[in-house]
Amino acid sequence: MTRQQRIETSIEYLICDVGTLSQAREDHRWLDSLLSPAEAAHSNRLRQAADRAAYRSGHLLFRLMAARRLGIEPRDAGELTFTRTCRTCGGPHGKPQIMGAELSLSRSGDMVAVTSAPSSSPIGIDIEHIPNEVFSGFDEYVLTSGESLSPGANTTRRRIELWVAKEAALKTTGDGLNVEPNGLEVVGTDREAPLVPGSVHWAASIRAPEHPELNRLSLATVPCPPSHAAALSCADRLPVTSTSLSDVLIG
């Protein structure tokens, strides 16, 4: 199997910090030219320099991952049409898409996560910074009654792990927070499953009988810095591997 065939039949993900991506933009000045006029304009409207850097970094990485998935040169990633369409109202704020590839993007603080899959395999990724404590009302909004009583659920880390798993699932279908997270239950988590560096273990799934498109989506914890938690969701338990920034820049 060739490298491109492997890419086309598996899931890839990349987690990178904004500082590294910003340095790549300095080293490879052609990168910023990949953004569409709409993306560049949106970035310029952001008041904080950190927010502008994070937005540009995330969208550039999204385009580079799409180019890698489609087998085109990284420098041609700017020719790809980036769209967002809400599945509820049809507005331009839904799941980000590029024709011919299935992708998902998440940003939290100084970390960016992007994943790609075959176009027939909807995918979702989410990454979140672990705060000192969750916001008031978090448990009622995010957790089912069973999850609230489960071992370890009283820790902030475990709460955020459940949050990113549900967010990843909601990104997979494009529902977003139109479906309240407390209507989804994370089941079957194998807390002892070994993680091979650069790979993930499909160790859980979503139980959501009232939402057939979400019910039984597969979940996996994604290795990331200890300051964050990240998860993948997909309908198909395809092989999953990490890639690197240097790989997506080379193509």
Side-chain angles (χ1 to χ4, degrees), residues 161-207:
E161 288 174 348
L162 290 168
W163 169 261
V164 296
K166 296 183 183 192
E167 272 278 280
L170 292 167
K171 288 182 176 183
T172 299
T173 60
D175 283 298
L177 295 180
N178 289 317
V179 174
E180 292 192 1
N182 61 19
L184 283 60
E185 184 176 9
V186 177
V187 297
T189 302
D190 181 358
R191 301 289 291 172
E192 303 302 320
L195 278 173
V196 178
S199 67
V200 299
H201 178 80
W202 295 110
S205 62
I206 290 291
R207 178 184 292 155

Side-chain angles (χ1 to χ4, degrees), residues 18-228:
V18 173
T20 298
L21 289 163
S22 295
Q23 184 60 54
R25 290 169 52 208
E26 287 290 323
D27 296 340
H28 306 278
R29 293 302 181 99
W30 53 271
L31 282 171
D32 277 346
S33 68
L34 301 182
L35 295 177
S36 69
E39 288 171 303
H42 182 94
S43 171
N44 292 336
R45 286 195 296 270
L46 298 174
R47 293 185 177 183
Q48 301 297 322
D51 292 336
R52 292 194 295 272
Y55 178 90
R56 284 178 173 266
S57 295
H59 281 244
L60 285 171
L61 193 57
F62 187 90
R63 286 182 171 277
L64 290 170
M65 287 286 281
R68 178 175 169 85
R69 170 68 50 180
L70 296 171
I72 68 175
E73 290 296 319
R75 288 176 180 266
D76 294 331
E79 299 176 9
L80 299 171
T81 301
F82 178 99
T83 62
R84 286 180 181 268
T85 304
C86 176
R87 63 176 294 177
T88 301
C89 70
H93 51 260
K95 182 177 182 179
Q97 294 178 314
I98 286 178
M99 185 174 293
E102 180 65 26
L103 299 118
S104 182
L105 164 68
S106 181
R107 292 184 286 119
S108 180
D110 63 347
M111 299 301 297
V112 175
V114 178
T115 186
S116 73
S119 59
S120 59
S121 299
I123 190 80
I125 195 168
D126 193 57
I127 187 168
E128 294 290 341
H129 179 260
I130 307 292
N132 292 327
E133 59 183 10
V134 296
F135 59 80
S136 176
F138 178 95
D139 288 5
E140 292 77 10
Y141 180 62
V142 175
L143 307 182
T144 65
S145 57
E147 289 168 340
S148 297
L149 299 173
S150 65
N154 60 336
T155 67
T156 298
R157 171 166 289 277
R158 181 56 181 155
R159 286 183 171 100
I160 299 302
E161 288 174 348
L162 290 168
W163 169 261
V164 296
K166 296 183 183 192
E167 272 278 280
L170 292 167
K171 288 182 176 183
T172 299
T173 60
D175 283 298
L177 295 180
N178 289 317
V179 174
E180 292 192 1
N182 61 19
L184 283 60
E185 184 176 9
V186 177
V187 297
T189 302
D190 181 358
R191 301 289 291 172
E192 303 302 320
L195 278 173
V196 178
S199 67
V200 299
H201 178 80
W202 295 110
S205 62
I206 290 291
R207 178 184 292 155
E210 295 183 5
H211 304 282
E213 74 281 7
L214 290 158
N215 196 38
R216 303 184 71 178
L217 284 178
S218 296
L219 299 169
T221 297
V222 180
C224 66
S227 57
H228 289 68

